[in-house]
Amino acid sequence: LQYWSPAVDGFTAKLAYSPNEERPASGTITATTPAGYNPSLVSLSITYASQRLYGYLGYERHNDYTSVGNYDYAVNAGGSLTMGALKVGVLGEQIRYRFGGAAQNVAPLDNPFVIADAVAAGATGELTLSSWAVFSQYAVGPNGHLRAVYEHASDATGSALTTGALTGATKLTLGYGYTLSAQTEAYVVYTRINNSANGTYDFTTNQIGTAPTGGGDPRGIGVGMSYDF
């Protein structure tokens, strides 16, 4: 369920709520859906947009996603400034998870932190992940765009953390896009993740597989086309 407010002097507010569609039927308690499992989420954001300036602040909270009776949440903020052919921006995010012990934690099959050996299956306490990024885009001629993004994930912290697991990483992405029409762009992109000795960061899709040993440095090249409806 979503609500998007009208723009007022460049400001827009958005609110979203996802009800407990994954709540198990009565009597179907398993390790994947422990007793009391009742997941839901709420998300909200405020954005500002003008011809040269864009900024946003966002918050999202998940109930029961990693541990029954606990919640995880994320806060992120960022912005960009356009100066002629150049556009630059920055963003940051912090995510915090809570774990309640073996009887409450969602089964390892559905818990990415347990899969990556970041926390034990019966962990208690918190896990905090912080990251930031800077990006730029430069117009080359009437149709071309050079793009670069640098991202940094700090070492994970918190009492639920397994010693030495899920440490930080950096990511560099370079790309070029060519506008074919007002709605269509062709692009090529190169990206590389540099994990620390025990870091397990990977691509969101087409994963190479850095967990649970860590330390791998995934890299890839992509060519594609996007079309905006």
Side-chain angles (χ1 to χ4, degrees):
L1 304 174
Q2 297 186 37
Y3 171 75
W4 294 21
S5 77
V8 178
D9 294 330
F11 288 93
T12 303
K14 299 178 181 179
L15 175 67
Y17 173 74
S18 178
N20 56 350
E21 295 285 344
E22 298 176 57
R23 182 180 181 182
S26 178
T28 58
I29 302 304
T30 67
T32 304
T33 56
Y37 185 61
N38 190 21
S40 64
L41 71 84
V42 62
S43 179
L44 57 92
S45 70
I46 298 175
T47 61
Y48 173 80
S50 66
Q51 187 173 1
R52 297 183 58 200
L53 184 65
Y54 174 84
Y56 75 91
L57 175 66
Y59 171 83
E60 183 164 299
R61 170 171 164 156
H62 300 164
N63 297 310
D64 286 6
Y65 269 47
T66 54
S67 181
V68 173
N70 291 282
Y71 64 91
D72 55 85
Y73 68 88
V75 178
N76 56 23
S80 65
L81 176 66
T82 301
M83 300 170 288
L86 177 64
K87 181 178 182 179
V88 294
V90 62
L91 60 90
E93 180 176 63
Q94 184 175 89
I95 309 174
R96 181 167 294 181
Y97 301 87
R98 298 177 185 269
F99 300 89
Q104 295 166 295
N105 292 344
V106 176
L109 179 64
D110 293 341
N111 193 322
F113 306 103
V114 175
I115 293 173
D117 280 352
V119 300
T124 59
E126 295 186 349
L127 174 67
T128 301
L129 304 176
S130 301
S131 61
W132 56 266
V134 292
F135 61 89
S136 63
Q137 174 177 288
Y138 186 78
V140 181
N143 297 315
H145 296 91
L146 292 172
R147 300 185 177 106
V149 184
Y150 177 82
E151 303 171 64
H152 175 83
S154 301
D155 292 347
T157 61
S159 57
L161 182 66
T162 301
T163 302
L166 200 64
T167 53
T170 60
K171 180 182 179 183
L172 177 65
T173 303
L174 303 173
Y176 174 77
Y178 187 84
T179 302
L180 301 174
S181 70
Q183 297 172 296
T184 309
E185 182 187 70
Y187 63 87
V188 58
V189 63
Y190 168 81
T191 188
R192 172 170 176 159
I193 299 173
N194 290 320
N195 277 300
S196 298
N198 295 309
T200 57
Y201 287 90
D202 202 345
F203 299 130
T204 305
T205 57
N206 296 324
Q207 293 185 348
I208 292 177
T210 61
T213 55
D217 297 328
R219 67 198 73 177
I221 297 175
V223 177
M225 182 178 295
S226 64
Y227 181 84
D228 294 330
F229 293 93

